[in-house]
Amino acid sequence: MSDGRPPVPASPTLEDVARAAGVSRATVSRVINGIRNVDPAIQETVRRAIAETGYVPNRAARSLVTRRAGAVALVVSGADGESREGPFHSKVFADPFFGRVASGVVGFLRPRGVHPILMFAEDDEARAQCIAYLRQGNADGAVLVSTNATDPLPGLLTGMGLPAVLFARPSPPIPISYVDVDHRTGARLAADHLVAAGRRRSATITGPLAVPAAQDRLSGFRDAMAAHGHPYVPCAEGDFTQDSGEHAMERLLAEHPDLDGVFAANDLMAKGALLTLRHHGRRVPEDVAVVGFDDSSAATASRPPLTTVRHPVEDMAAEMTRLLLEHVEDPHRPVTSVIFEASLVVRESA
């Protein structure tokens, strides 16, 4: 008996695609599963037939052939001693940097039909769970963002032969592919801009100096200032948070009340510095010019908007994901590094 409802049309099959493309079912299967020994012109014909028929590959069946999960883990790792429900997760979601990384990863994966899986690995237990998840084949590899210079996870993944690519140069050096930005050149651009604006007593708020990026930004800024004839640059260390920028700015003002320029090693700390300067009645940029690093949403939300060094995070995250998929495709591919250029974005704070 009929219930009166129209019949549901059958989903297109592999045979439908083969018929539309004028090729065998086996050829369609090879194209869908990424097997390379198919002529490029035939591959294009099959792809057009897939689009025309609306065929959707069965991911479970495909994974049996390719032995791939069709998923990539985006792992944020590194903060031992903080609970999963507490400060580590709060810090991650509060920092616009991590949202930009996720945007770049998702933007690259989506058109390729690969799914991102967000994982946190802030202590030994969470790291063990992450490694087990990858070893069981639930994800094809990991794009890794580490918040701690002594984080063991990158070394653990490479030691087990699991595909992984790291955001930023590892410390200490290990054989893992990574993407980074030219931190020293970015810091030099900040120094050049402050000097060109007539600032003669500039200071810097660094990130945590165990982190290679923070070291490079400090060295680049100091070297550039020395080249301009300013051999001494006061500094105060922060931890890339807005609160640490406020406290570091307090210390710098107490010790160097005549300073007239500040380079903060990220935008959140620069935003904190602006709040402290406002609290002390210092006008920005008239009394103190401020330059940040990242060109994040914090830069445009600050008052005044921040002059900052652009850190092309979304592009870097997409490149990190591309490298990972290449390692998944070819497990013997040599590790590599990709370094992006920095540029200065001039706004009202300097």
Side-chain angles (χ1 to χ4, degrees):
M1 292 179 62
S2 171
D3 60 5
R5 289 177 293 184
V8 178
S11 297
T13 65
L14 213 61
E15 287 77 9
D16 295 329
V17 177
R19 192 177 304 111
V23 299
S24 70
R25 184 183 188 281
T27 297
V28 174
S29 179
R30 285 199 296 272
V31 172
I32 289 172
N33 291 315
I35 297 172
R36 293 185 173 185
N37 62 342
V38 180
D39 182 88
I42 294 177
Q43 290 185 41
E44 183 58 31
T45 299
V46 170
R47 291 191 185 102
R48 282 201 302 268
I50 290 171
E52 290 168 1
T53 60
Y55 174 73
V56 178
N58 183 307
R59 183 168 297 277
R62 181 176 176 180
S63 68
L64 290 175
V65 176
T66 63
R67 297 185 181 276
R68 294 180 192 162
V72 163
L74 169 56
V75 184
V76 184
S77 176
D80 281 281
E82 295 180 322
S83 70
R84 283 177 210 177
E85 295 76 22
F88 182 69
H89 289 74
S90 299
K91 181 178 177 180
V92 168
F93 289 121
D95 190 336
F97 166 80
F98 295 104
R100 295 177 66 192
V101 171
S103 176
V105 170
V106 172
F108 187 86
L109 291 178
R110 179 176 290 166
R112 291 160 177 81
V114 180
H115 298 290
I117 300 168
L118 178 62
M119 304 186 75
F120 294 101
E122 70 276 24
D123 55 31
D124 287 341
E125 180 185 357
R127 279 188 284 272
Q129 291 173 353
C130 176
I131 291 169
Y133 191 85
L134 292 167
R135 294 185 72 177
Q136 290 164 7
N138 295 304
D140 296 317
V143 286
L144 179 60
V145 181
S146 182
T147 63
N148 188 330
T150 62
D151 181 12
L153 186 58
L156 291 171
L157 293 176
T158 57
M160 294 179 183
L162 294 168
V165 177
L166 185 62
F167 194 105
R169 173 166 56 94
S171 177
I174 57 173
I176 188 171
S177 291
Y178 68 87
V179 300
D180 211 340
V181 70
D182 188 344
H183 301 282
R184 289 176 178 268
T185 296
R188 177 181 60 77
L189 293 173
D192 292 348
H193 185 74
L194 288 170
V195 171
R199 309 301 162 150
R200 297 294 178 264
R201 298 175 300 280
S202 290
T204 182
I205 299 172
T206 76
L209 292 176
V211 176
Q215 297 169 10
D216 289 346
R217 293 176 195 182
L218 174 60
S219 297
F221 188 74
R222 280 182 163 167
D223 289 349
M225 293 301 290
H228 286 295
H230 304 284
Y232 174 61
V233 177
C235 75
E237 186 175 357
D239 64 5
F240 289 137
T241 64
Q242 181 173 315
D243 284 347
S244 74
E246 293 184 48
H247 297 318
M249 193 71 250
E250 287 282 1
R251 295 195 297 274
L252 287 171
L253 286 176
E255 297 169 9
H256 307 278
D258 61 344
L259 64 81
D260 60 3
V262 174
F263 167 54
N266 82 335
D267 291 341
L268 281 179
M269 293 193 300
K271 188 175 181 180
L274 290 174
L275 294 175
T276 296
L277 289 167
R278 186 178 304 128
H279 175 73
H280 285 271
R282 305 294 180 92
R283 299 171 300 163
V284 177
E286 293 85 355
D287 301 324
V288 181
V290 178
V291 178
F293 199 115
D294 280 343
D295 195 27
S296 66
S297 58
T300 52
S302 296
R303 292 294 174 265
L306 273 173
T307 291
T308 186
V309 177
R310 174 152 177 76
H311 191 178
V313 174
E314 293 87 352
D315 293 339
M316 293 168 64
E319 178 66 12
M320 175 172 64
T321 312
R322 184 189 70 78
L323 289 175
L324 176 69
L325 295 185
E326 287 189 357
H327 282 299
V328 170
E329 178 73 20
D330 179 8
H332 302 293
R333 187 184 192 280
V335 297
T336 189
S337 57
V338 179
I339 308 300
F340 284 71
E341 294 183 2
S343 59
L344 188 71
V345 180
V346 179
R347 297 192 180 94
E348 297 172 26
S349 69

Coordinates of all heavy atoms in Angstrom, one line a residue, residues 99-172:
G99 N 41.5 31.5 17.1 CA 40.4 31.5 16.2 C 40.9 31.7 14.8 O 40.3 31.1 13.8
R100 N 41.9 32.5 14.6 CA 42.5 32.7 13.2 C 43.1 31.4 12.7 O 43.0 31.1 11.5 CB 43.5 33.8 13.3 CG 42.9 35.2 13.6 CD 43.9 36.3 13.7 NE 44.5 36.5 12.4 CZ 45.7 37.2 12.2 NH1 46.3 37.7 13.3 NH2 46.1 37.4 11.0
V101 N 43.8 30.7 13.6 CA 44.4 29.4 13.2 C 43.3 28.5 12.7 O 43.3 27.8 11.7 CB 45.2 28.8 14.3 CG1 45.6 27.3 14.0 CG2 46.4 29.6 14.6
A102 N 42.2 28.3 13.6 CA 41.1 27.5 13.2 C 40.5 27.8 11.9 O 40.1 27.0 11.1 CB 40.1 27.5 14.4
S103 N 40.3 29.1 11.7 CA 39.7 29.6 10.4 C 40.5 29.2 9.2 O 40.0 28.7 8.2 CB 39.6 31.1 10.5 OG 39.1 31.6 9.2
G104 N 41.9 29.3 9.3 CA 42.7 28.9 8.2 C 42.7 27.4 8.0 O 42.7 27.0 6.8
V105 N 42.7 26.6 9.0 CA 42.6 25.2 8.9 C 41.3 24.7 8.3 O 41.2 24.0 7.3 CB 42.8 24.5 10.3 CG1 42.5 23.0 10.2 CG2 44.2 24.7 10.8
V106 N 40.2 25.2 8.8 CA 38.8 24.8 8.3 C 38.7 25.3 6.9 O 38.1 24.6 6.0 CB 37.7 25.4 9.2 CG1 36.4 25.2 8.6 CG2 37.8 24.8 10.6
G107 N 39.1 26.5 6.6 CA 39.0 27.0 5.2 C 39.7 26.2 4.2 O 39.2 26.1 3.1
F108 N 40.8 25.6 4.6 CA 41.6 24.8 3.7 C 40.9 23.4 3.5 O 40.9 22.8 2.4 CB 43.0 24.6 4.1 CG 43.9 23.9 3.1 CD1 44.5 24.6 2.1 CD2 44.1 22.5 3.2 CE1 45.3 23.9 1.2 CE2 44.9 21.8 2.3 CZ 45.5 22.5 1.3
L109 N 40.5 22.8 4.7 CA 39.9 21.5 4.6 C 38.6 21.3 4.0 O 38.3 20.3 3.3 CB 39.9 20.9 6.1 CG 41.2 20.7 6.8 CD1 40.9 20.2 8.2 CD2 42.0 19.6 6.0
R110 N 37.7 22.3 4.2 CA 36.3 22.2 3.8 C 36.1 21.8 2.3 O 35.4 20.9 2.0 CB 35.5 23.5 4.1 CG 34.1 23.4 3.7 CD 33.4 24.7 4.2 NE 33.2 24.7 5.6 CZ 32.9 25.8 6.3 NH1 32.7 27.0 5.7 NH2 32.7 25.8 7.6
P111 N 36.7 22.6 1.4 CA 36.5 22.2 0.0 C 37.1 20.8 -0.4 O 36.8 20.3 -1.5 CB 37.2 23.3 -0.8 CG 38.2 23.9 0.1 CD 37.6 23.8 1.5
R112 N 37.9 20.3 0.5 CA 38.6 19.0 0.2 C 37.8 17.8 0.9 O 38.3 16.7 0.8 CB 40.0 19.0 0.6 CG 40.9 19.9 -0.3 CD 42.2 20.4 0.4 NE 42.9 21.2 -0.6 CZ 42.7 22.5 -0.8 NH1 41.7 23.1 -0.1 NH2 43.4 23.1 -1.7
G113 N 36.7 18.1 1.5 CA 35.9 17.1 2.2 C 36.6 16.4 3.3 O 36.3 15.3 3.7
V114 N 37.5 17.1 4.0 CA 38.2 16.6 5.2 C 37.7 17.4 6.4 O 37.6 18.6 6.3 CB 39.7 16.7 5.0 CG1 40.4 16.2 6.3 CG2 40.2 16.0 3.8
H115 N 37.4 16.7 7.5 CA 36.8 17.3 8.7 C 37.9 17.6 9.7 O 38.8 16.8 10.0 CB 35.8 16.4 9.3 CG 34.6 16.1 8.3 ND1 33.7 17.0 8.0 CD2 34.3 15.0 7.7 CE1 32.8 16.5 7.1 NE2 33.2 15.3 6.9
P116 N 37.8 18.8 10.3 CA 38.7 19.1 11.5 C 38.2 18.6 12.8 O 36.9 18.6 13.0 CB 38.8 20.6 11.4 CG 37.4 21.0 10.9 CD 37.0 19.9 10.0
I117 N 39.0 18.1 13.6 CA 38.7 17.7 15.0 C 39.5 18.5 16.0 O 40.7 18.4 16.0 CB 38.9 16.2 15.1 CG1 38.1 15.4 14.1 CG2 38.6 15.7 16.6 CD1 38.5 13.9 14.0
L118 N 38.9 19.3 16.8 CA 39.6 20.1 17.8 C 39.9 19.2 19.0 O 39.1 18.6 19.6 CB 38.8 21.3 18.2 CG 39.4 22.2 19.3 CD1 40.7 22.8 18.8 CD2 38.4 23.3 19.7
M119 N 41.2 19.3 19.4 CA 41.7 18.5 20.6 C 42.6 19.4 21.4 O 43.3 20.2 20.9 CB 42.4 17.2 20.2 CG 41.7 16.3 19.3 SD 42.6 14.8 18.9 CE 42.3 13.9 20.5
F120 N 42.5 19.2 22.7 CA 43.4 19.9 23.7 C 44.3 18.9 24.3 O 43.9 17.8 24.6 CB 42.6 20.6 24.8 CG 41.7 21.8 24.2 CD1 40.4 21.6 24.0 CD2 42.3 23.0 23.9 CE1 39.6 22.7 23.5 CE2 41.6 24.0 23.4 CZ 40.2 23.9 23.2
A121 N 45.5 19.3 24.5 CA 46.5 18.4 25.1 C 47.4 19.2 26.0 O 48.6 19.5 25.7 CB 47.4 17.7 24.0
E122 N 46.8 19.5 27.2 CA 47.5 20.4 28.1 C 48.2 19.7 29.2 O 48.8 20.4 30.1 CB 46.5 21.4 28.7 CG 45.5 20.8 29.6 CD 44.3 20.2 28.9 OE1 44.4 19.8 27.8 OE2 43.2 20.1 29.6
D123 N 48.1 18.4 29.3 CA 48.8 17.7 30.4 C 49.1 16.2 29.9 O 48.7 15.9 28.8 CB 48.0 17.6 31.7 CG 46.6 17.1 31.5 OD1 46.4 16.2 30.6 OD2 45.7 17.5 32.2
D124 N 49.8 15.4 30.7 CA 50.2 14.1 30.3 C 49.0 13.2 29.9 O 49.1 12.5 28.9 CB 51.0 13.4 31.4 CG 52.4 14.0 31.5 OD1 52.9 14.7 30.6 OD2 53.0 13.8 32.6
E125 N 47.9 13.3 30.6 CA 46.8 12.5 30.3 C 46.2 12.9 29.0 O 45.8 12.0 28.1 CB 45.7 12.6 31.4 CG 44.5 11.7 31.2 CD 43.4 12.0 32.2 OE1 43.7 12.7 33.2 OE2 42.3 11.4 32.1
A126 N 46.0 14.2 28.8 CA 45.4 14.6 27.5 C 46.3 14.3 26.3 O 45.8 14.0 25.2 CB 45.1 16.1 27.6
R127 N 47.6 14.4 26.5 CA 48.6 14.1 25.5 C 48.5 12.6 25.1 O 48.5 12.2 23.9 CB 50.0 14.5 25.8 CG 50.3 15.9 25.7 CD 51.8 16.2 25.9 NE 52.2 16.2 27.3 CZ 52.1 17.3 28.1 NH1 51.7 18.5 27.6 NH2 52.5 17.2 29.3
A128 N 48.4 11.8 26.1 CA 48.2 10.3 25.9 C 47.0 10.0 25.1 O 46.9 9.2 24.2 CB 48.3 9.6 27.2
Q129 N 45.9 10.7 25.4 CA 44.6 10.5 24.7 C 44.7 10.9 23.3 O 44.2 10.3 22.4 CB 43.5 11.3 25.4 CG 43.1 10.7 26.8 CD 42.1 11.6 27.5 OE1 41.8 12.7 27.1 NE2 41.6 11.1 28.7
C130 N 45.4 12.1 23.1 CA 45.6 12.6 21.7 C 46.4 11.6 20.9 O 46.0 11.2 19.7 CB 46.3 13.9 21.7 SG 46.7 14.6 20.1
I131 N 47.5 11.1 21.4 CA 48.3 10.1 20.7 C 47.5 8.8 20.4 O 47.6 8.3 19.3 CB 49.6 9.8 21.5 CG1 50.5 11.1 21.5 CG2 50.3 8.6 20.9 CD1 51.6 11.0 22.5
A132 N 46.8 8.4 21.4 CA 46.0 7.1 21.2 C 45.0 7.4 20.1 O 44.7 6.5 19.2 CB 45.3 6.7 22.5
Y133 N 44.3 8.5 20.0 CA 43.3 8.8 19.0 C 43.9 8.8 17.6 O 43.4 8.2 16.7 CB 42.8 10.2 19.3 CG 41.5 10.6 18.5 CD1 40.3 10.2 18.9 CD2 41.7 11.3 17.4 CE1 39.1 10.5 18.2 CE2 40.5 11.7 16.6 CZ 39.3 11.3 17.0 OH 38.2 11.6 16.3
L134 N 45.1 9.3 17.5 CA 45.8 9.3 16.2 C 46.3 8.0 15.8 O 46.2 7.5 14.7 CB 47.0 10.3 16.2 CG 46.6 11.8 16.3 CD1 47.8 12.7 16.7 CD2 45.9 12.3 15.0
R135 N 46.8 7.2 16.8 CA 47.4 5.9 16.5 C 46.2 4.9 16.1 O 46.5 4.0 15.3 CB 48.1 5.3 17.7 CG 49.4 6.1 18.0 CD 50.2 5.5 19.1 NE 50.9 4.2 18.6 CZ 51.7 3.5 19.4 NH1 51.9 3.9 20.6 NH2 52.2 2.4 18.9
Q136 N 45.0 5.1 16.6 CA 43.9 4.3 16.2 C 43.3 4.7 14.9 O 42.4 4.0 14.4 CB 42.8 4.4 17.3 CG 43.2 3.8 18.6 CD 42.3 4.3 19.8 OE1 41.3 5.0 19.6 NE2 42.7 3.9 21.0
G137 N 43.9 5.7 14.2 CA 43.4 6.0 12.9 C 42.2 6.9 12.8 O 41.6 7.0 11.8
N138 N 41.8 7.5 13.9 CA 40.6 8.3 14.0 C 40.8 9.7 13.2 O 39.8 10.3 12.8 CB 40.1 8.6 15.4 CG 39.7 7.3 16.1 OD1 38.8 6.6 15.6 ND2 40.4 7.0 17.2
A139 N 42.0 10.1 13.1 CA 42.4 11.2 12.3 C 43.7 10.9 11.5 O 44.5 10.0 11.9 CB 42.6 12.5 13.1
D140 N 43.8 11.5 10.3 CA 45.0 11.1 9.5 C 46.3 11.8 9.9 O 47.3 11.3 9.5 CB 44.7 11.5 8.0 CG 43.5 10.8 7.5 OD1 43.4 9.5 7.7 OD2 42.6 11.4 6.8
G141 N 46.2 12.8 10.8 CA 47.4 13.5 11.2 C 47.0 14.7 12.1 O 45.8 14.9 12.3
A142 N 47.9 15.4 12.5 CA 47.7 16.5 13.4 C 48.4 17.8 12.9 O 49.5 17.8 12.5 CB 48.1 16.2 14.8
V143 N 47.6 18.9 12.9 CA 48.2 20.2 12.8 C 48.2 20.8 14.3 O 47.2 20.8 15.0 CB 47.4 21.2 11.9 CG1 47.6 20.8 10.5 CG2 45.9 21.1 12.2
L144 N 49.4 21.1 14.7 CA 49.7 21.3 16.1 C 50.1 22.8 16.4 O 50.9 23.3 15.8 CB 50.8 20.4 16.5 CG 51.3 20.4 18.0 CD1 50.2 20.0 18.9 CD2 52.5 19.4 18.1
V145 N 49.4 23.3 17.4 CA 49.7 24.7 18.0 C 50.1 24.5 19.4 O 49.3 24.0 20.2 CB 48.5 25.6 17.9 CG1 49.0 27.0 18.4 CG2 48.0 25.8 16.4
S146 N 51.4 24.8 19.7 CA 51.9 24.5 21.1 C 52.0 25.9 21.8 O 52.6 26.8 21.2 CB 53.2 23.8 21.0 OG 53.7 23.5 22.3
T147 N 51.6 25.9 23.0 CA 51.7 27.2 23.8 C 52.9 27.2 24.8 O 53.0 28.1 25.6 CB 50.4 27.4 24.6 OG1 50.2 26.3 25.5 CG2 49.2 27.4 23.7
N148 N 53.7 26.1 24.7 CA 54.7 26.0 25.7 C 56.0 25.5 25.0 O 56.0 24.5 24.3 CB 54.3 24.9 26.8 CG 55.3 24.8 28.0 OD1 56.5 25.1 27.8 ND2 54.7 24.5 29.1
A149 N 57.1 26.2 25.2 CA 58.4 25.9 24.6 C 58.9 24.5 24.9 O 59.6 23.9 24.2 CB 59.4 26.9 24.9
T150 N 58.5 24.0 26.1 CA 59.0 22.7 26.5 C 58.0 21.6 26.3 O 58.1 20.4 26.8 CB 59.4 22.7 28.0 OG1 58.2 23.0 28.8 CG2 60.4 23.7 28.3
D151 N 56.9 21.9 25.5 CA 55.9 20.9 25.2 C 56.5 19.6 24.6 O 57.1 19.7 23.6 CB 54.9 21.5 24.3 CG 53.7 20.6 23.9 OD1 53.6 19.6 24.6 OD2 53.0 21.0 23.0
P152 N 56.2 18.4 25.2 CA 56.8 17.2 24.6 C 56.0 16.6 23.5 O 56.5 15.7 22.8 CB 56.8 16.2 25.8 CG 55.6 16.7 26.6 CD 55.5 18.2 26.5
L153 N 54.8 17.1 23.2 CA 54.0 16.5 22.2 C 54.5 16.4 20.8 O 54.5 15.4 20.1 CB 52.6 17.1 22.2 CG 51.5 16.4 21.3 CD1 51.4 14.9 21.7 CD2 50.2 17.1 21.4
P154 N 55.1 17.5 20.3 CA 55.7 17.5 18.9 C 56.7 16.3 18.8 O 56.7 15.6 17.8 CB 56.3 18.8 18.7 CG 55.5 19.7 19.6 CD 55.2 18.9 20.8
G155 N 57.6 16.2 19.8 CA 58.6 15.2 19.8 C 58.0 13.8 19.9 O 58.4 12.8 19.2
L156 N 56.9 13.6 20.7 CA 56.3 12.3 20.8 C 55.6 11.9 19.5 O 55.7 10.7 19.1 CB 55.2 12.4 21.9 CG 55.7 12.6 23.4 CD1 54.5 12.9 24.3 CD2 56.4 11.3 23.8
L157 N 55.0 12.9 18.8 CA 54.3 12.5 17.6 C 55.4 12.1 16.5 O 55.2 11.1 15.8 CB 53.5 13.7 17.1 CG 52.3 14.1 17.9 CD1 51.6 15.4 17.4 CD2 51.3 13.0 18.0
T158 N 56.4 12.9 16.4 CA 57.4 12.5 15.4 C 58.1 11.2 15.7 O 58.5 10.4 14.8 CB 58.5 13.7 15.2 OG1 59.1 13.9 16.5 CG2 57.8 15.0 14.7
G159 N 58.4 11.0 17.0 CA 59.0 9.8 17.4 C 58.2 8.5 17.1 O 58.8 7.5 16.9
M160 N 56.9 8.7 17.0 CA 56.0 7.5 16.7 C 55.7 7.5 15.2 O 54.9 6.6 14.8 CB 54.7 7.6 17.5 CG 55.0 7.5 19.0 SD 53.4 7.6 19.9 CE 54.0 7.5 21.6
G161 N 56.2 8.4 14.5 CA 56.0 8.4 13.0 C 54.6 8.8 12.6 O 54.1 8.5 11.5
L162 N 53.9 9.6 13.5 CA 52.6 10.1 13.2 C 52.7 11.4 12.4 O 53.4 12.3 12.8 CB 51.8 10.3 14.5 CG 51.5 9.0 15.3 CD1 51.0 9.4 16.7 CD2 50.5 8.1 14.5
P163 N 51.9 11.5 11.3 CA 52.0 12.8 10.5 C 51.6 14.0 11.4 O 50.5 14.0 12.0 CB 51.0 12.5 9.4 CG 50.8 11.0 9.3 CD 51.0 10.5 10.8
A164 N 52.4 15.0 11.4 CA 52.1 16.2 12.2 C 52.9 17.4 11.6 O 54.0 17.2 11.1 CB 52.5 16.0 13.6
V165 N 52.3 18.5 11.6 CA 52.9 19.8 11.2 C 52.7 20.8 12.3 O 51.6 20.9 12.9 CB 52.4 20.3 9.9 CG1 53.0 21.6 9.5 CG2 52.6 19.3 8.8
L166 N 53.7 21.6 12.6 CA 53.7 22.5 13.8 C 53.6 23.9 13.3 O 54.1 24.3 12.3 CB 55.0 22.3 14.6 CG 55.2 23.1 15.9 CD1 54.1 22.6 16.9 CD2 56.6 22.8 16.4
F167 N 52.8 24.7 14.1 CA 52.7 26.1 13.9 C 53.8 26.8 14.7 O 53.8 26.7 15.9 CB 51.4 26.7 14.3 CG 51.1 28.1 13.8 CD1 50.2 28.3 12.8 CD2 51.7 29.2 14.4 CE1 49.9 29.6 12.3 CE2 51.5 30.5 13.9 CZ 50.6 30.7 12.9
A168 N 54.8 27.4 14.0 CA 56.0 28.0 14.6 C 57.1 27.1 14.8 O 56.9 25.9 15.1 CB 55.6 28.7 15.9
R169 N 58.3 27.6 14.8 CA 59.6 26.9 14.9 C 59.6 26.1 16.3 O 59.3 26.8 17.3 CB 60.7 27.8 14.8 CG 62.1 27.2 15.1 CD 63.2 28.1 14.6 NE 63.1 29.4 15.1 CZ 63.8 29.8 16.2 NH1 64.6 29.0 16.9 NH2 63.7 31.1 16.6
P170 N 59.9 24.8 16.3 CA 60.0 24.1 17.5 C 61.2 24.5 18.4 O 62.2 24.9 17.8 CB 60.0 22.7 17.1 CG 60.7 22.7 15.7 CD 60.3 24.0 15.1
S171 N 61.1 24.3 19.6 CA 62.2 24.5 20.6 C 62.1 23.4 21.6 O 61.1 23.3 22.3 CB 62.1 25.8 21.2 OG 63.2 26.0 22.2
P172 N 63.1 22.5 21.7 CA 64.3 22.4 20.9 C 64.0 21.9 19.5 O 62.9 21.4 19.2 CB 65.2 21.5 21.7 CG 64.2 20.6 22.3 CD 63.1 21.4 22.7

